[in-house]
Structure formats: structure tokens, C-alpha cells
């Protein structure tokens, strides 16, 4: 059974600092998603990582995927208050294109608070 | 692209009542998913459809839960004889599948059981 673990579960950061959120998963997959959720809102897609070594960047966020280590990271550079939210990683089972579009297994989420 | 729409946004009901939620996916998306999210947790998969066919159903989904997507467009999720443990946010998502596009989520229906 596919399990996804995130750490830390809570992260309090000072503005301007850097930090990394880690996402480990238990079985083979080469498709991983990062989502952001603001309080009372739904999930917003941030990144889709499709293969080993994939790296995506958007603003102050950068995500990477190491399928051999079954590990993805979400790196935050020079945090600002607007990044405060809950971040989820989600893994899709399957390794071949024909299997894509299946259910996602989510981590528990990392609550990020950026303090001024 | 008007996004995934869910109705109602909030539902409060007494234990033992039946409830039904509706989801309208993004129009060109053929896959539709239901997830459940409780406080402090990530969404948990319940079931998904490709067009009108239900492709997978989680073991979490007891026989009190049923989902349909009769014409391959909107979907309904019904919970019969609700229990306290059913209180959660029910999220619907849709995607163009199979493809490399992410699932797009609606704002959810928050269910509270009194």
C-alpha cells in the first residue's frame, strides 16, 4: 500500500529565511504533485513532477523529485508572509503512461507560517 | 474554464439522515474524483470515474456511500444513515485523463453531523 509522509508537519519561519519541506513515499512512482491549501479554501496545484531528477520552480518555490530515493523536496527561498498556507505532496501510483490519471495519495500536509 | 463546482458548500444534518452532494467538473474533463478531508489531514481518496464508469472505489467507502456520474458530466455522492464519523470536507476533483495534467479541485462541501 502506498504511503506518503511529509515533514515537518508544522513550520514557523522568519521572513527572508530559506527552508525545505520533505516528502517521502513508500512504493515506486514517477509522478508527484505539490498542492497549496489556504484556510477554508480548496487545493491549488503548484507543481507536477513527472520523472526522476525533475525540477520545477515558480517564484520563491522550487520542487524536485528523486524517484530512486522516493523523495521529493519543496524548497522555499527568502520566505514572505504570502507563502503562509498548508502544503501537500501527493503521489500517483503507477509507473507507465497508460496508468496515469489514477487516485492520489496525499501526505498529511505541512502548515507553513511565515512571521514578519 | 469555470473550475470545479460543488454544491452545497455546507451541510448540517442530524445523525441518521441521508445527504447528497453534487459536483460539476470542468467541462472537458473526463475523469472525476471524490476525496474526503478531515481536520489536520490530507485528502483521502474515495472513488473516481472516467466518463460514467466508476473505475475504483476505496475500501474506506462503506456501503452507506454511493456515487454516480450518470451521463459522464456531473456527479453525486450520497451518504445514507449518516454517522458522527462522516463529518468532514468532501472534495471533488476533475482531470483530463489519462494525461500528465494535475487534478483540479473544487471548494468542497463541509458536512457536519449533529
Amino acid at each position: 500500500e502506498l504511503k506518503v509522509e511529509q515533514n515537518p508537519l508544522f513550520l514557523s519561519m522568519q521572513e527572508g529565511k530559506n527552508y525545505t519541506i520533505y516528502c517521502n513515499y513508500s512504493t515506486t512512482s514517477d509522478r508527484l504533485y505539490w498542492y497549496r491549501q489556504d484556510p477554508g479554501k480548496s487545493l491549488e496545484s503548484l507543481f507536477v513532477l513527472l520523472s526522476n531528477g525533475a525540477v520545477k520552480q515558480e517564484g520563491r518555490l522550487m520542487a524536485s523529485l528523486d524517484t530512486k530515493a522516493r523523495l521529493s523536496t519543496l524548497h522555499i527561498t527568502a520566505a514572505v508572509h504570502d507563502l503562509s498556507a498548508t502544503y501537500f505532496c501527493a503521489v500517483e501510483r503507477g509507473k507507465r503512461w497508460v496508468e496515469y490519471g489514477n487516485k492520489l495519495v496525499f501526505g498529511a500536509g505541512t502548515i507553513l507560517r511565515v512571521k514578519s | 474554464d469555470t473550475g470545479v463546482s460543488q454544491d452545497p458548500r455546507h451541510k448540517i444534518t442530524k445523525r441518521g439522515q441521508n445527504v447528497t452532494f453534487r459536483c460539476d467538473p470542468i467541462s472537458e474533463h473526463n475523469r472525476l474524483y471524490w476525496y474526503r478531508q478531515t481536520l489536520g489531514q490530507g485528502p483521502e481518496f474515495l472513488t473516481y470515474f472516467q466518463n460514467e464508469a466508476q473505475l475504483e472505489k476505496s475500501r474506506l467507502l462503506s456501503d452507506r456511500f454511493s456515487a454516480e456520474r450518470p451521463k459522464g458530466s456531473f456527479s453525486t455522492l450520497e451518504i445514507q444513515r449518516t454517522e458522527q464519523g462522516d463529518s468532514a470536507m468532501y472534495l471533488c476533483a476533475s482531470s483530463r485523463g489519462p494525461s500528465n495534467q494535475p487534478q483540479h479541485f473544487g471548494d468542497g462541501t463541509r458536512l457536519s453531523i449533529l
Side-chain angles (χ1 to χ4, degrees):
Chain A
E1 182 188 347
L2 174 57
K3 291 188 190 297
V4 179
E5 287 188 359
Q6 284 182 240
N7 70 84
L9 297 182
F10 182 77
L11 178 53
S12 180
M13 295 177 66
Q14 289 286 97
E15 272 192 333
K17 298 291 188 185
N18 304 334
Y19 209 83
T20 300
I21 299 170
Y22 297 88
C23 174
N24 291 90
Y25 55 98
S26 61
T27 64
T28 300
S29 175
D30 60 358
R31 172 159 290 188
L32 189 140
Y33 302 78
W34 284 95
Y35 285 88
R36 168 182 171 144
Q37 187 176 38
D38 291 294
K41 300 291 180 83
S42 191
L43 288 87
E44 173 192 355
S45 175
L46 293 175
F47 300 110
V48 180
L49 301 170
L50 302 178
S51 60
N52 186 41
V55 177
K56 295 277 183 73
Q57 181 160 7
E58 181 74 35
R60 300 174 188 275
L61 300 178
M62 183 173 72
S64 65
L65 178 61
D66 180 343
T67 58
K68 292 178 182 174
R70 298 177 187 166
L71 170 68
S72 179
T73 60
L74 181 66
H75 187 73
I76 302 150
T77 302
V80 293
H81 182 71
D82 285 352
L83 289 180
S84 296
T86 300
Y87 293 86
F88 293 96
C89 65
V91 178
E92 182 178 340
R93 68 165 190 218
K95 207 169 177 295
R96 295 174 304 175
W97 185 86
V98 293
E99 294 183 27
Y100 289 159
N102 291 315
K103 69 179 184 183
L104 298 179
V105 178
F106 283 82
T110 297
I111 300 172
L112 174 65
R113 293 289 174 261
V114 181
K115 299 184 291 188
S116 312
Chain B
D1 182 348
T2 57
V4 177
S5 176
Q6 292 189 244
D7 184 69
R9 292 294 311 278
H10 303 276
K11 179 71 177 177
I12 301 172
T13 193
K14 292 183 180 177
R15 188 164 49 110
Q17 298 295 304
N18 299 344
V19 293
T20 301
F21 311 140
R22 176 179 170 126
C23 172
D24 287 88
I26 293 170
S27 58
E28 62 268 27
H29 286 182
N30 60 342
R31 290 208 171 180
L32 186 149
Y33 311 80
W34 286 99
Y35 292 86
R36 179 170 66 188
Q37 186 178 24
T38 53
L39 199 61
Q41 299 296 318
E44 286 180 303
F45 169 77
L46 294 177
T47 189
Y48 84 101
F49 295 83
Q50 175 157 305
N51 300 315
E52 65 275 7
Q54 189 171 21
L55 296 188
E56 186 174 349
K57 196 171 161 179
S58 166
R59 284 170 291 179
L60 293 175
L61 219 59
S62 77
D63 56 8
R64 296 185 298 106
F65 288 72
S66 62
E68 292 183 337
R69 194 182 182 198
K71 297 181 181 177
S73 56
F74 74 91
S75 175
T76 57
L77 177 69
E78 181 184 15
I79 310 174
Q80 295 183 326
R81 304 181 303 282
T82 52
E83 300 174 356
Q84 291 283 352
D86 297 332
S87 295
M89 176 74 86
Y90 290 82
L91 295 168
C92 177
S94 69
S95 73
R96 208 176 276 158
S99 76
N100 61 1
Q101 299 300 310
Q103 294 175 22
H104 295 262
F105 284 80
D107 286 340
T109 294
R110 180 166 296 284
L111 175 64
S112 299
I113 308 296
L114 301 177

